[in-house]
Amino acid sequence: MISPVLIVISAVIAAAAVALACRYARWPVADLAAAAAGTLLAVIAWRILANAFSLNEDFMPAVSVGDAGCLIAGALPPAVVASVHRELGRRALPAVVGGLVAFITNVIIL
């Protein structure tokens, strides 16, 4: 079982990375906040589910199903915001950053 404190730390790191990517892409503050908050909540929710269903066993060196799911949990909220607001610049950047940072952080921390 992964510690709740470590789950929150990894989610905060992923959300901060999404916020920075949104800022770089010059997204409005409301869209930035929605994408970052969504990533924070999605990563926390996914890791709690991964704990509940024991998805933390590595299927390859240092990577578990719980870690791999963070690719989706980190990328989905910014992708949803970008799909709703098609006029946003660099729409894919926050989603790519969110997915990669959530995955890498979870592999390293958890």
Side-chain angles (χ1 to χ4, degrees):
M1 185 166 150
I2 305 298
S3 163
V5 172
L6 292 177
I7 290 172
V8 170
I9 290 170
S10 69
V12 167
I13 292 169
V18 167
L20 289 172
C22 290
R23 186 76 176 130
Y24 179 77
R26 299 180 195 267
W27 283 18
V29 173
D31 294 325
L32 179 153
T39 296
L40 177 78
L41 295 175
V43 170
I44 290 172
W46 168 248
R47 291 312 301 207
I48 289 171
L49 284 172
N51 269 347
F53 291 109
S54 300
L55 300 175
N56 298 319
E57 295 297 319
D58 293 348
F59 64 86
M60 58 186 284
V63 179
S64 69
V65 173
D67 297 331
C70 287
L71 279 167
I72 297 168
L76 190 58
V80 169
V81 171
S83 68
V84 170
H85 299 278
R86 295 192 177 266
E87 72 282 353
L88 294 173
R90 298 178 180 158
R91 295 178 346 163
L93 179 65
V96 170
V97 168
L100 290 176
V101 170
F103 173 72
I104 292 168
T105 301
N106 277 272
V107 168
I108 291 171
I109 290 180
L110 308 179

Coordinates of all heavy atoms in Angstrom, one line a residue:
M1 N 0.8 -1.2 0.0 CA 0.0 0.0 0.0 C 0.9 1.2 0.0 O 1.9 1.3 0.7 CB -0.9 0.0 1.2 CG -1.9 1.1 1.2 SD -3.2 0.8 2.4 CE -3.5 2.5 2.9
I2 N 0.5 2.2 -0.8 CA 1.3 3.4 -0.9 C 0.7 4.4 0.1 O -0.5 4.6 0.3 CB 1.1 4.0 -2.4 CG1 1.5 3.0 -3.4 CG2 1.9 5.3 -2.5 CD1 2.9 2.6 -3.4
S3 N 1.7 5.1 0.7 CA 1.3 6.1 1.8 C 0.5 7.2 1.2 O 0.8 7.8 0.1 CB 2.6 6.7 2.4 OG 2.4 7.8 3.0
P4 N -0.6 7.6 1.9 CA -1.4 8.8 1.4 C -0.6 10.1 1.2 O -0.8 10.9 0.4 CB -2.5 8.9 2.4 CG -2.6 7.6 3.0 CD -1.2 7.0 3.0
V5 N 0.4 10.3 2.1 CA 1.3 11.5 2.0 C 2.0 11.5 0.7 O 2.1 12.5 0.0 CB 2.2 11.5 3.2 CG1 3.2 12.7 3.0 CG2 1.4 11.7 4.5
L6 N 2.6 10.3 0.3 CA 3.3 10.2 -0.9 C 2.4 10.4 -2.1 O 2.8 11.0 -3.1 CB 4.1 8.9 -1.0 CG 5.2 8.7 0.0 CD1 5.8 7.3 -0.2 CD2 6.3 9.8 -0.2
I7 N 1.2 9.9 -2.0 CA 0.2 10.1 -3.1 C -0.1 11.6 -3.3 O 0.0 12.1 -4.4 CB -1.1 9.3 -2.8 CG1 -0.8 7.8 -2.9 CG2 -2.2 9.8 -3.8 CD1 -2.0 7.0 -2.5
V8 N -0.3 12.3 -2.2 CA -0.6 13.7 -2.3 C 0.6 14.5 -2.8 O 0.5 15.4 -3.7 CB -1.1 14.3 -1.0 CG1 -1.2 15.8 -1.0 CG2 -2.4 13.7 -0.6
I9 N 1.8 14.1 -2.4 CA 3.0 14.8 -2.9 C 3.2 14.6 -4.4 O 3.4 15.6 -5.1 CB 4.3 14.3 -2.1 CG1 4.2 14.8 -0.7 CG2 5.5 14.8 -2.8 CD1 5.3 14.2 0.2
S10 N 3.0 13.4 -4.9 CA 3.2 13.2 -6.3 C 2.1 13.9 -7.1 O 2.3 14.4 -8.2 CB 3.1 11.7 -6.6 OG 1.9 11.1 -6.4
A11 N 0.9 14.0 -6.6 CA -0.2 14.7 -7.2 C 0.0 16.2 -7.3 O -0.3 16.8 -8.3 CB -1.6 14.4 -6.5
V12 N 0.6 16.7 -6.2 CA 0.9 18.2 -6.2 C 2.0 18.5 -7.2 O 1.9 19.5 -7.9 CB 1.3 18.6 -4.7 CG1 1.9 20.0 -4.7 CG2 0.1 18.6 -3.8
I13 N 3.0 17.6 -7.3 CA 4.0 17.9 -8.3 C 3.5 17.8 -9.7 O 3.8 18.7 -10.5 CB 5.2 16.8 -8.1 CG1 5.9 17.1 -6.8 CG2 6.1 16.9 -9.3 CD1 6.8 16.0 -6.4
A14 N 2.6 16.9 -10.0 CA 2.0 16.8 -11.3 C 1.1 18.0 -11.6 O 1.1 18.6 -12.7 CB 1.2 15.5 -11.4
A15 N 0.3 18.4 -10.6 CA -0.6 19.6 -10.8 C 0.3 20.9 -11.0 O -0.1 21.7 -11.8 CB -1.5 19.7 -9.6
A16 N 1.4 21.0 -10.3 CA 2.2 22.2 -10.5 C 2.8 22.2 -11.9 O 2.9 23.2 -12.5 CB 3.3 22.2 -9.4
A17 N 3.2 21.0 -12.4 CA 3.8 20.9 -13.7 C 2.7 21.3 -14.8 O 3.0 22.0 -15.8 CB 4.3 19.5 -14.0
V18 N 1.5 20.9 -14.6 CA 0.4 21.2 -15.5 C 0.2 22.7 -15.4 O 0.0 23.4 -16.5 CB -0.9 20.5 -15.1 CG1 -2.1 21.1 -15.8 CG2 -0.8 19.0 -15.5
A19 N 0.2 23.3 -14.2 CA 0.0 24.8 -14.1 C 1.1 25.5 -14.8 O 0.8 26.5 -15.5 CB -0.1 25.2 -12.6
L20 N 2.3 25.1 -14.7 CA 3.4 25.7 -15.4 C 3.3 25.6 -16.9 O 3.6 26.6 -17.6 CB 4.8 25.2 -14.9 CG 5.2 25.6 -13.5 CD1 6.4 24.8 -13.1 CD2 5.4 27.1 -13.4
A21 N 2.9 24.4 -17.4 CA 2.7 24.2 -18.8 C 1.5 25.1 -19.3 O 1.7 25.7 -20.4 CB 2.4 22.8 -19.1
C22 N 0.5 25.2 -18.5 CA -0.6 26.1 -18.9 C -0.2 27.6 -19.0 O -0.6 28.3 -19.9 CB -1.8 25.9 -18.0 SG -2.7 24.4 -18.1
R23 N 0.6 27.9 -18.0 CA 1.1 29.3 -18.0 C 2.0 29.6 -19.2 O 1.9 30.6 -19.8 CB 1.9 29.5 -16.7 CG 2.4 30.9 -16.5 CD 1.2 31.8 -16.0 NE 1.7 33.1 -15.7 CZ 1.2 34.2 -16.2 NH1 0.1 34.2 -16.9 NH2 1.7 35.4 -15.9
Y24 N 2.9 28.6 -19.5 CA 3.7 28.8 -20.7 C 2.9 28.9 -22.0 O 3.2 29.6 -22.9 CB 4.7 27.6 -20.8 CG 5.6 27.6 -22.0 CD1 6.7 28.4 -22.0 CD2 5.3 26.8 -23.1 CE1 7.5 28.5 -23.1 CE2 6.1 26.8 -24.2 CZ 7.2 27.7 -24.2 OH 8.0 27.7 -25.3
A25 N 1.8 28.1 -22.0 CA 0.9 28.1 -23.2 C 0.0 29.3 -23.2 O -0.8 29.5 -24.1 CB 0.1 26.8 -23.2
R26 N 0.1 30.1 -22.2 CA -0.7 31.4 -22.0 C -2.2 31.1 -22.0 O -3.0 31.8 -22.6 CB -0.4 32.4 -23.2 CG 1.0 32.8 -23.2 CD 1.3 33.8 -24.3 NE 2.7 33.9 -24.6 CZ 3.5 34.9 -24.0 NH1 2.9 35.7 -23.2 NH2 4.7 34.9 -24.3
W27 N -2.6 30.0 -21.2 CA -4.0 29.8 -21.0 C -4.5 30.8 -20.0 O -3.8 31.2 -19.1 CB -4.2 28.4 -20.4 CG -4.0 27.3 -21.4 CD1 -3.5 27.3 -22.7 CD2 -4.5 25.9 -21.3 NE1 -3.5 26.1 -23.3 CE2 -4.1 25.2 -22.5 CE3 -5.1 25.2 -20.3 CZ2 -4.4 23.9 -22.6 CZ3 -5.4 23.9 -20.4 CH2 -5.1 23.2 -21.6
P28 N -5.8 31.1 -20.1 CA -6.4 32.0 -19.1 C -6.4 31.3 -17.7 O -6.3 30.1 -17.6 CB -7.9 32.1 -19.5 CG -7.9 31.8 -21.0 CD -6.7 30.8 -21.2
V29 N -6.4 32.1 -16.7 CA -6.3 31.6 -15.3 C -7.4 30.6 -15.0 O -7.1 29.6 -14.3 CB -6.3 32.8 -14.3 CG1 -6.3 32.2 -12.9 CG2 -5.1 33.7 -14.5
A30 N -8.6 30.8 -15.4 CA -9.7 29.8 -15.1 C -9.4 28.4 -15.7 O -9.6 27.4 -15.1 CB -11.0 30.3 -15.6
D31 N -8.9 28.4 -16.9 CA -8.5 27.1 -17.6 C -7.3 26.5 -16.9 O -7.3 25.3 -16.7 CB -8.3 27.4 -19.1 CG -9.6 27.8 -19.8 OD1 -10.7 27.3 -19.4 OD2 -9.4 28.6 -20.7
L32 N -6.4 27.3 -16.6 CA -5.2 26.8 -15.9 C -5.6 26.2 -14.5 O -5.2 25.0 -14.2 CB -4.2 28.0 -15.6 CG -2.9 27.7 -14.9 CD1 -1.9 28.7 -15.3 CD2 -3.1 27.7 -13.4
A33 N -6.4 26.8 -13.8 CA -6.9 26.3 -12.5 C -7.7 25.0 -12.7 O -7.5 24.1 -11.9 CB -7.7 27.4 -11.8
A34 N -8.5 25.0 -13.7 CA -9.3 23.8 -13.9 C -8.4 22.6 -14.3 O -8.6 21.5 -13.8 CB -10.4 24.0 -15.0
A35 N -7.5 22.8 -15.1 CA -6.6 21.7 -15.6 C -5.7 21.3 -14.4 O -5.6 20.0 -14.2 CB -5.7 22.2 -16.7
A36 N -5.1 22.2 -13.6 CA -4.3 21.8 -12.5 C -5.1 21.1 -11.4 O -4.6 20.1 -10.9 CB -3.5 23.0 -12.0
A37 N -6.2 21.7 -11.0 CA -7.0 21.0 -10.0 C -7.5 19.7 -10.4 O -7.5 18.7 -9.6 CB -8.2 22.0 -9.6
G38 N -7.9 19.6 -11.7 CA -8.3 18.3 -12.2 C -7.2 17.2 -12.2 O -7.5 16.1 -11.8
T39 N -6.0 17.6 -12.5 CA -4.9 16.7 -12.4 C -4.6 16.3 -11.0 O -4.4 15.1 -10.7 CB -3.6 17.3 -13.1 OG1 -3.9 17.5 -14.5 CG2 -2.4 16.4 -12.9
L40 N -4.6 17.2 -10.1 CA -4.4 16.9 -8.7 C -5.5 15.9 -8.2 O -5.1 14.8 -7.7 CB -4.5 18.2 -7.9 CG -4.4 18.0 -6.3 CD1 -3.0 17.8 -6.0 CD2 -5.0 19.2 -5.6
L41 N -6.7 16.1 -8.5 CA -7.8 15.2 -8.0 C -7.7 13.9 -8.7 O -8.0 12.8 -8.1 CB -9.1 15.9 -8.2 CG -9.4 17.2 -7.3 CD1 -10.7 17.8 -7.7 CD2 -9.3 16.8 -5.8
A42 N -7.5 13.9 -10.0 CA -7.4 12.6 -10.8 C -6.3 11.7 -10.4 O -6.5 10.5 -10.2 CB -7.3 12.9 -12.3
V43 N -5.1 12.3 -10.1 CA -4.0 11.5 -9.7 C -4.3 10.9 -8.3 O -4.0 9.7 -8.0 CB -2.7 12.3 -9.7 CG1 -1.6 11.5 -9.1 CG2 -2.3 12.6 -11.2
I44 N -4.8 11.7 -7.4 CA -5.1 11.2 -6.0 C -6.2 10.1 -6.1 O -6.0 9.1 -5.5 CB -5.6 12.4 -5.1 CG1 -4.4 13.3 -4.8 CG2 -6.2 11.8 -3.8 CD1 -4.8 14.6 -4.0
A45 N -7.2 10.4 -6.9 CA -8.3 9.4 -7.0 C -7.8 8.1 -7.6 O -8.1 7.0 -7.1 CB -9.4 9.9 -7.8
W46 N -7.0 8.2 -8.6 CA -6.4 7.0 -9.3 C -5.5 6.2 -8.3 O -5.6 5.0 -8.2 CB -5.7 7.3 -10.5 CG -4.9 6.1 -11.0 CD1 -3.5 6.0 -11.1 CD2 -5.4 4.9 -11.5 NE1 -3.2 4.7 -11.5 CE2 -4.3 4.0 -11.8 CE3 -6.7 4.4 -11.7 CZ2 -4.5 2.7 -12.2 CZ3 -6.8 3.1 -12.1 CH2 -5.8 2.3 -12.4
R47 N -4.7 6.9 -7.6 CA -3.8 6.2 -6.7 C -4.5 5.5 -5.5 O -4.1 4.5 -5.0 CB -2.6 7.1 -6.2 CG -1.6 7.5 -7.2 CD -1.1 6.4 -8.0 NE -0.4 5.4 -7.3 CZ 0.6 4.6 -7.7 NH1 1.0 4.7 -8.9 NH2 1.1 3.7 -6.9
I48 N -5.6 6.2 -5.1 CA -6.4 5.5 -4.0 C -7.1 4.3 -4.6 O -7.1 3.2 -3.9 CB -7.5 6.6 -3.5 CG1 -6.8 7.6 -2.7 CG2 -8.5 5.9 -2.7 CD1 -7.6 8.8 -2.3
L49 N -7.6 4.3 -5.8 CA -8.1 3.1 -6.4 C -7.1 2.1 -6.6 O -7.3 0.9 -6.4 CB -8.8 3.5 -7.7 CG -10.1 4.2 -7.7 CD1 -10.6 4.6 -9.1 CD2 -11.2 3.2 -7.1
A50 N -5.9 2.5 -7.0 CA -4.8 1.5 -7.2 C -4.4 0.8 -5.9 O -4.1 -0.4 -5.9 CB -3.6 2.2 -7.8
N51 N -4.4 1.6 -4.8 CA -4.2 1.0 -3.5 C -5.3 0.0 -3.1 O -5.1 -1.1 -2.7 CB -4.2 2.1 -2.4 CG -2.8 2.6 -2.2 OD1 -1.8 2.0 -2.6 ND2 -2.7 3.7 -1.4
A52 N -6.6 0.4 -3.4 CA -7.7 -0.4 -3.0 C -7.7 -1.7 -3.8 O -8.1 -2.8 -3.2 CB -9.0 0.4 -3.2
F53 N -7.3 -1.7 -5.0 CA -7.4 -2.9 -5.9 C -6.0 -3.6 -6.0 O -5.8 -4.4 -6.8 CB -7.9 -2.6 -7.2 CG -9.4 -2.2 -7.2 CD1 -9.8 -0.9 -7.4 CD2 -10.3 -3.2 -6.9 CE1 -11.1 -0.6 -7.4 CE2 -11.7 -2.9 -6.9 CZ -12.1 -1.6 -7.1
S54 N -5.0 -3.2 -5.1 CA -3.7 -3.7 -5.1 C -3.0 -3.7 -6.5 O -2.5 -4.8 -7.0 CB -3.7 -5.2 -4.6 OG -4.2 -5.1 -3.2
L55 N -3.0 -2.6 -7.1 CA -2.4 -2.4 -8.5 C -1.0 -1.9 -8.4 O -0.5 -1.2 -9.3 CB -3.2 -1.6 -9.3 CG -4.7 -2.0 -9.6 CD1 -5.5 -1.0 -10.4 CD2 -4.7 -3.4 -10.3
N56 N -0.3 -2.1 -7.3 CA 1.0 -1.5 -7.1 C 2.2 -2.5 -7.3 O 3.3 -2.1 -7.0 CB 1.1 -0.9 -5.7 CG 0.1 0.2 -5.5 OD1 -0.1 1.0 -6.4 ND2 -0.6 0.3 -4.4
E57 N 1.9 -3.7 -7.7 CA 3.0 -4.7 -8.0 C 3.6 -4.3 -9.4 O 2.9 -4.1 -10.3 CB 2.4 -6.1 -8.0 CG 1.9 -6.5 -6.7 CD 3.0 -6.6 -5.6 OE1 4.1 -7.0 -5.9 OE2 2.7 -6.2 -4.5
D58 N 4.9 -4.3 -9.4 CA 5.6 -4.0 -10.7 C 5.4 -5.1 -11.7 O 5.7 -6.3 -11.4 CB 7.1 -3.8 -10.4 CG 7.4 -2.6 -9.5 OD1 6.4 -1.8 -9.3 OD2 8.5 -2.4 -9.1
F59 N 5.1 -4.7 -12.9 CA 5.0 -5.6 -14.0 C 6.2 -5.6 -14.9 O 6.4 -6.4 -15.8 CB 3.7 -5.5 -14.9 CG 3.6 -4.2 -15.6 CD1 4.2 -4.0 -16.8 CD2 2.9 -3.1 -15.0 CE1 4.0 -2.8 -17.5 CE2 2.8 -1.9 -15.7 CZ 3.3 -1.7 -16.9
M60 N 7.0 -4.5 -14.7 CA 8.3 -4.4 -15.3 C 9.1 -3.6 -14.3 O 8.6 -3.0 -13.4 CB 8.3 -3.7 -16.7 CG 7.7 -2.4 -16.8 SD 7.5 -1.7 -18.4 CE 9.1 -1.3 -18.8
P61 N 10.5 -3.5 -14.4 CA 11.3 -2.9 -13.4 C 10.8 -1.5 -13.0 O 10.7 -0.6 -13.9 CB 12.7 -2.8 -14.0 CG 12.7 -4.0 -14.9 CD 11.3 -4.1 -15.5
A62 N 10.4 -1.3 -11.8 CA 10.0 0.0 -11.2 C 8.7 0.5 -11.7 O 8.3 1.7 -11.4 CB 11.1 1.0 -11.3
V63 N 7.9 -0.2 -12.5 CA 6.6 0.3 -13.1 C 5.5 -0.6 -12.7 O 5.5 -1.8 -13.1 CB 6.7 0.5 -14.6 CG1 5.4 1.0 -15.2 CG2 7.8 1.4 -15.0
S64 N 4.5 -0.1 -12.1 CA 3.3 -0.9 -11.8 C 2.1 -0.4 -12.6 O 2.2 0.7 -13.3 CB 3.0 -0.7 -10.3 OG 2.5 0.6 -10.0
V65 N 1.0 -1.1 -12.5 CA -0.2 -0.6 -13.2 C -0.7 0.7 -12.6 O -1.1 1.6 -13.3 CB -1.4 -1.7 -13.1 CG1 -2.7 -1.1 -13.6 CG2 -1.0 -3.0 -13.8
G66 N -0.5 0.9 -11.3 CA -0.8 2.2 -10.7 C 0.0 3.3 -11.2 O -0.5 4.4 -11.5
D67 N 1.3 3.1 -11.5 CA 2.1 4.1 -12.1 C 1.7 4.4 -13.5 O 1.6 5.6 -13.9 CB 3.6 3.6 -12.1 CG 4.2 3.4 -10.8 OD1 3.7 4.1 -9.8 OD2 5.1 2.6 -10.6
A68 N 1.4 3.4 -14.3 CA 1.0 3.5 -15.7 C -0.3 4.3 -15.8 O -0.5 5.1 -16.7 CB 1.0 2.2 -16.4
G69 N -1.2 4.0 -14.9 CA -2.5 4.7 -14.9 C -2.3 6.2 -14.7 O -3.2 7.0 -15.1
C70 N -1.2 6.6 -14.1 CA -1.0 8.1 -13.8 C -0.8 8.8 -15.1 O -0.9 10.0 -15.2 CB 0.2 8.3 -12.9 SG -0.3 7.8 -11.2
L71 N -0.3 8.1 -16.2 CA -0.2 8.7 -17.5 C -1.6 9.3 -17.9 O -1.7 10.5 -18.4 CB 0.2 7.7 -18.6 CG 1.7 7.4 -18.7 CD1 1.9 6.2 -19.5 CD2 2.4 8.6 -19.2
I72 N -2.6 8.5 -17.7 CA -4.0 9.0 -18.1 C -4.5 10.0 -17.1 O -5.1 11.0 -17.4 CB -4.9 7.8 -18.2 CG1 -4.5 6.9 -19.3 CG2 -6.4 8.2 -18.4 CD1 -5.1 5.5 -19.4
A73 N -4.3 9.7 -15.8 CA -4.8 10.6 -14.7 C -4.2 12.0 -14.8 O -4.9 13.0 -14.6 CB -4.6 10.0 -13.4
G74 N -3.0 12.0 -15.2 CA -2.3 13.3 -15.3 C -2.6 14.1 -16.5 O -2.6 15.3 -16.6
A75 N -2.9 13.4 -17.6 CA -3.2 14.0 -18.9 C -4.6 14.3 -19.2 O -4.9 15.3 -19.9 CB -2.6 13.1 -20.0
L76 N -5.5 13.5 -18.6 CA -6.9 13.7 -19.0 C -7.6 15.0 -18.6 O -8.2 15.6 -19.5 CB -7.7 12.5 -18.3 CG -9.2 12.4 -18.8 CD1 -9.3 12.2 -20.3 CD2 -9.9 11.2 -18.1
P77 N -7.4 15.6 -17.4 CA -8.0 16.9 -17.1 C -7.6 18.0 -18.0 O -8.4 18.7 -18.6 CB -7.6 17.1 -15.6 CG -7.4 15.7 -15.1 CD -6.8 15.0 -16.2
P78 N -6.3 18.2 -18.3 CA -5.9 19.3 -19.2 C -6.4 19.0 -20.7 O -6.8 19.9 -21.4 CB -4.4 19.3 -19.2 CG -4.0 18.5 -18.1 CD -5.1 17.6 -17.7
A79 N -6.5 17.7 -21.1 CA -7.0 17.4 -22.4 C -8.5 17.7 -22.5 O -9.0 18.2 -23.5 CB -6.8 15.9 -22.7
V80 N -9.3 17.5 -21.4 CA -10.7 17.8 -21.4 C -10.9 19.4 -21.4 O -11.7 19.9 -22.2 CB -11.4 17.3 -20.1 CG1 -12.8 17.8 -19.9 CG2 -11.4 15.7 -20.2
V81 N -10.1 20.1 -20.7 CA -10.2 21.6 -20.7 C -9.8 22.1 -22.1 O -10.5 22.9 -22.7 CB -9.2 22.2 -19.7 CG1 -9.2 23.7 -19.9 CG2 -9.7 21.9 -18.3
A82 N -8.8 21.5 -22.7 CA -8.4 21.9 -24.1 C -9.5 21.6 -25.1 O -9.7 22.3 -26.1 CB -7.1 21.3 -24.5
S83 N -10.2 20.5 -24.9 CA -11.2 20.1 -25.9 C -12.5 20.9 -25.8 O -13.2 21.1 -26.8 CB -11.5 18.6 -25.8 OG -12.2 18.3 -24.6
V84 N -12.7 21.4 -24.6 CA -13.9 22.3 -24.4 C -13.6 23.7 -24.9 O -14.5 24.3 -25.5 CB -14.2 22.3 -22.9 CG1 -15.3 23.4 -22.6 CG2 -14.7 21.0 -22.4
H85 N -12.4 24.2 -24.7 CA -12.0 25.5 -25.2 C -11.0 25.4 -26.3 O -9.8 25.4 -26.1 CB -11.4 26.3 -24.0 CG -12.3 26.5 -22.9 ND1 -13.2 27.5 -22.8 CD2 -12.4 25.8 -21.7 CE1 -13.9 27.4 -21.7 NE2 -13.5 26.4 -21.0
R86 N -11.5 25.2 -27.5 CA -10.6 24.9 -28.7 C -9.8 26.1 -29.1 O -8.9 26.0 -29.9 CB -11.5 24.5 -29.9 CG -12.1 23.2 -29.6 CD -12.7 22.6 -30.8 NE -13.3 21.3 -30.5 CZ -12.7 20.1 -30.7 NH1 -11.4 20.1 -31.1 NH2 -13.3 19.0 -30.4
E87 N -10.1 27.3 -28.6 CA -9.3 28.5 -29.0 C -8.0 28.6 -28.2 O -7.2 29.5 -28.4 CB -10.1 29.8 -28.8 CG -10.4 30.2 -27.3 CD -11.5 29.4 -26.6 OE1 -12.1 28.6 -27.3 OE2 -11.6 29.6 -25.4
L88 N -7.8 27.7 -27.2 CA -6.5 27.8 -26.4 C -5.3 27.5 -27.2 O -5.3 26.6 -28.1 CB -6.6 26.8 -25.2 CG -7.7 27.1 -24.2 CD1 -7.8 25.9 -23.2 CD2 -7.4 28.3 -23.4
G89 N -4.3 28.2 -26.9 CA -3.0 27.9 -27.6 C -2.3 26.7 -27.1 O -2.4 26.4 -25.9
R90 N -1.5 26.1 -27.9 CA -0.7 24.9 -27.5 C -1.5 23.9 -26.6 O -1.1 23.6 -25.5 CB 0.5 25.4 -26.7 CG 1.4 26.2 -27.6 CD 2.6 26.7 -26.8 NE 3.5 27.5 -27.7 CZ 4.3 28.4 -27.2 NH1 4.5 28.6 -26.0 NH2 5.0 29.1 -28.1
R91 N -2.6 23.5 -27.2 CA -3.6 22.7 -26.4 C -3.1 21.4 -25.9 O -3.5 20.9 -24.9 CB -4.9 22.5 -27.3 CG -5.6 23.8 -27.6 CD -6.8 23.6 -28.5 NE -6.8 22.2 -29.1 CZ -7.9 21.7 -29.6 NH1 -9.0 22.4 -29.6 NH2 -7.9 20.5 -30.1
A92 N -2.2 20.8 -26.6 CA -1.7 19.5 -26.2 C -0.6 19.6 -25.1 O -0.4 18.6 -24.4 CB -1.1 18.7 -27.4
L93 N 0.1 20.7 -25.0 CA 1.2 20.8 -24.1 C 0.9 20.5 -22.7 O 1.6 19.6 -22.1 CB 1.9 22.2 -24.2 CG 3.1 22.4 -23.3 CD1 4.2 21.5 -23.7 CD2 3.5 23.9 -23.4
P94 N -0.1 21.1 -22.0 CA -0.4 20.7 -20.6 C -0.8 19.3 -20.4 O -0.4 18.7 -19.4 CB -1.6 21.7 -20.3 CG -1.4 22.8 -21.2 CD -0.9 22.2 -22.5
A95 N -1.5 18.7 -21.4 CA -1.8 17.3 -21.3 C -0.6 16.4 -21.3 O -0.5 15.4 -20.5 CB -2.8 16.9 -22.4
V96 N 0.3 16.6 -22.3 CA 1.5 15.8 -22.4 C 2.4 16.0 -21.1 O 2.8 15.0 -20.6 CB 2.3 16.2 -23.7 CG1 3.7 15.6 -23.7 CG2 1.5 15.9 -24.9
V97 N 2.5 17.2 -20.7 CA 3.3 17.4 -19.5 C 2.7 16.8 -18.3 O 3.3 16.1 -17.5 CB 3.5 19.0 -19.2 CG1 4.1 19.2 -17.8 CG2 4.4 19.6 -20.3
G98 N 1.4 16.9 -18.1 CA 0.7 16.3 -17.0 C 0.8 14.8 -17.0 O 1.1 14.2 -15.9
G99 N 0.6 14.2 -18.1 CA 0.8 12.7 -18.1 C 2.2 12.2 -17.8 O 2.4 11.3 -17.0
L100 N 3.2 12.9 -18.5 CA 4.5 12.4 -18.3 C 5.0 12.7 -16.9 O 5.7 11.9 -16.2 CB 5.5 13.1 -19.3 CG 5.3 12.6 -20.7 CD1 6.2 13.5 -21.7 CD2 5.6 11.2 -20.8
V101 N 4.8 13.9 -16.3 CA 5.2 14.2 -15.0 C 4.5 13.3 -13.9 O 5.2 12.9 -13.0 CB 5.0 15.7 -14.7 CG1 5.3 16.0 -13.2 CG2 6.0 16.6 -15.6
A102 N 3.2 13.1 -14.1 CA 2.5 12.2 -13.2 C 3.1 10.8 -13.2 O 3.3 10.2 -12.2 CB 1.0 12.2 -13.5
F103 N 3.4 10.3 -14.4 CA 4.0 9.0 -14.5 C 5.4 8.9 -13.9 O 5.7 8.1 -13.1 CB 4.0 8.6 -16.0 CG 4.7 7.3 -16.2 CD1 4.2 6.1 -15.8 CD2 6.0 7.3 -16.8 CE1 4.8 4.9 -16.1 CE2 6.6 6.1 -17.0 CZ 6.1 4.9 -16.7
I104 N 6.2 9.8 -14.3 CA 7.6 9.8 -13.8 C 7.7 10.0 -12.3 O 8.4 9.4 -11.6 CB 8.4 10.9 -14.6 CG1 8.6 10.4 -16.1 CG2 9.8 11.1 -14.0 CD1 9.1 11.5 -17.0
T105 N 6.9 11.0 -11.8 CA 6.9 11.2 -10.4 C 6.4 10.0 -9.6 O 7.0 9.6 -8.6 CB 6.0 12.4 -10.1 OG1 6.4 13.6 -10.8 CG2 6.0 12.7 -8.6
N106 N 5.4 9.3 -10.1 CA 4.9 8.1 -9.4 C 5.9 7.0 -9.5 O 6.0 6.2 -8.6 CB 3.6 7.7 -10.0 CG 2.5 8.5 -9.3 OD1 2.0 8.1 -8.3 ND2 2.1 9.7 -9.9
V107 N 6.6 6.9 -10.6 CA 7.6 5.8 -10.7 C 8.8 6.1 -9.7 O 9.2 5.2 -9.0 CB 8.2 5.7 -12.1 CG1 9.4 4.8 -12.2 CG2 7.1 5.1 -13.0
I108 N 9.2 7.3 -9.6 CA 10.3 7.7 -8.7 C 9.9 7.7 -7.3 O 10.6 7.1 -6.4 CB 10.9 9.1 -9.2 CG1 11.6 9.0 -10.5 CG2 11.9 9.6 -8.1 CD1 12.0 10.3 -11.1
I109 N 8.8 8.4 -6.9 CA 8.4 8.6 -5.5 C 7.8 7.3 -5.0 O 8.0 6.9 -3.8 CB 7.5 9.8 -5.4 CG1 8.2 11.1 -5.6 CG2 6.8 9.8 -4.0 CD1 7.4 12.3 -5.5
L110 N 6.9 6.7 -5.8 CA 6.1 5.6 -5.2 C 6.7 4.3 -5.7 O 6.4 3.2 -5.3 CB 4.6 5.7 -5.7 CG 4.0 7.1 -5.4 CD1 2.6 7.1 -5.9 CD2 4.0 7.4 -3.9

